[in-house]
Amino acid sequence: MQKSDFIPIVTSRLIIDEFKTSDYARLQEIAFNINHNADVHAADGYCPFYTFQVDRNTPDRDTAIRQKVSEFLIKAERERKQKERSTYRMAVRLPNGTLIGNATVDMLPIEENGKKIYGDLGYFIDPQYGEHGYATEAVRGLVHHFFKKYQKLDITAHPANKFSRKLIERIGGIEVGYNEASHYGHGEPRTVFEVHKADFYRSCAFNKQMPNLLAVLVNRQKAKSS
């Protein structure tokens, strides 16, 4: 297996690392939980991670969900092998190794609606582990990785997805526009946010939220200097 270029990120409560083939069963469970949560809470503004979303009226829905999980892991493996890696589709785990979600960031500029945008962000957390701040913590860890290279991150969110909108605002995102159609979310409309590097680090007590990560970074820098 090709060696990963991604050094696992350790936050105060999470580990962010590569997906494994052995994650399939657990990821399938998460996908079913996401779809069930979408069925129950659609009226509350919950928008499921579109990669796993399957309409409840789809014939043989369970098989369709399993297929999406397989495709997700295949993409993760293909992206890991990119010669010049541009997409980091990362697993979010508890310290005991339990997979609870995903955070994905695209590193290279892409063209959308005639405008160059820098990266994009995707994430999901198993609803069973929701409302504990895990999504925000995982996103902060991965966006920190992104800002080693760029000064600005463009993020899109469904206009009705109040949970994603709040998370983006928590990491310093500012709403800057609206796309009638986006290549993210199967062409559905998207609200566009920008997160500037300075705003990101100003938006949270970064050294308090992720002391373990900062300790690792400081030690690496000392090692390089010695």
Side-chain angles (χ1 to χ4, degrees):
M1 179 178 290
Q2 179 177 319
K3 185 178 179 180
S4 170
D5 69 339
F6 185 85
I7 299 173
I9 294 171
V10 179
T11 72
S12 60
R13 300 181 298 167
L14 301 170
I15 298 171
I16 303 168
D17 64 4
E18 301 281 6
F19 276 102
K20 308 169 186 175
T21 304
S22 58
D23 287 324
Y24 176 79
R26 174 66 186 127
L27 194 59
Q28 177 181 288
E29 181 180 356
I30 293 174
F32 278 104
N33 289 343
I34 287 173
N35 276 275
H36 173 73
N37 206 46
D39 294 345
V40 175
H41 298 291
D44 300 327
Y46 177 82
C47 297
F49 185 66
Y50 72 86
T51 295
F52 292 152
Q53 182 181 359
V54 178
D55 187 87
R56 68 172 73 190
N57 297 318
T58 300
D60 201 1
R61 187 188 192 192
D62 288 1
T63 299
I65 293 173
R66 293 188 185 98
Q67 179 62 32
K68 283 180 173 287
V69 171
S70 296
E71 292 169 356
F72 181 89
L73 286 176
I74 290 171
K75 287 180 180 178
E77 178 66 10
R78 184 168 63 242
E79 291 156 356
R80 187 179 64 78
K81 294 179 178 178
Q82 289 172 332
K83 186 174 181 180
E84 293 185 15
R85 191 167 185 178
S86 61
T87 303
Y88 290 82
R89 188 182 303 257
M90 312 310 298
V92 177
R93 308 180 194 275
L94 297 177
N96 65 6
T98 299
L99 177 68
I100 65 168
N102 154 263
T104 298
V105 66
D106 290 318
M107 299 286 282
L108 295 180
I110 56 178
E111 294 285 340
E112 182 175 272
N113 297 332
K115 178 185 176 183
K116 182 176 287 187
I117 64 174
Y118 288 84
D120 199 75
L121 183 72
Y123 54 88
F124 63 82
I125 294 293
D126 185 342
Q128 293 184 344
Y129 292 88
E131 301 182 1
H132 289 87
Y134 288 133
T136 302
E137 188 169 330
V139 165
R140 281 176 175 156
L142 197 55
V143 170
H144 171 71
H145 178 74
F146 176 90
F147 279 134
K148 293 176 184 177
K149 183 173 183 180
Y150 293 114
Q151 298 295 315
K152 180 173 73 77
L153 172 64
D154 296 273
I155 307 176
T156 59
H158 194 288
N161 194 336
K162 62 182 182 181
F163 301 106
S164 280
R165 293 171 66 96
K166 287 181 179 178
L167 187 153
I168 294 168
E169 291 169 356
R170 279 198 295 273
I171 65 170
I174 300 173
E175 183 176 336
V176 295
Y178 180 84
N179 285 345
E180 291 294 337
S182 170
H183 65 285
Y184 295 99
H186 305 301
E188 296 175 348
R190 285 291 186 269
T191 301
V192 182
F193 295 81
E194 288 182 356
V195 182
H196 293 266
K197 186 174 183 177
D199 293 332
F200 170 73
Y201 289 108
R202 211 168 20 237
S203 69
C204 61
F206 195 77
N207 59 331
K208 294 180 181 178
Q209 291 288 338
M210 293 190 285
N212 294 342
L213 172 59
L214 289 185
V216 169
L217 295 175
V218 168
N219 290 335
R220 284 182 192 159
Q221 189 60 42
K222 287 181 178 178
K224 289 180 180 179
S225 302
S226 61

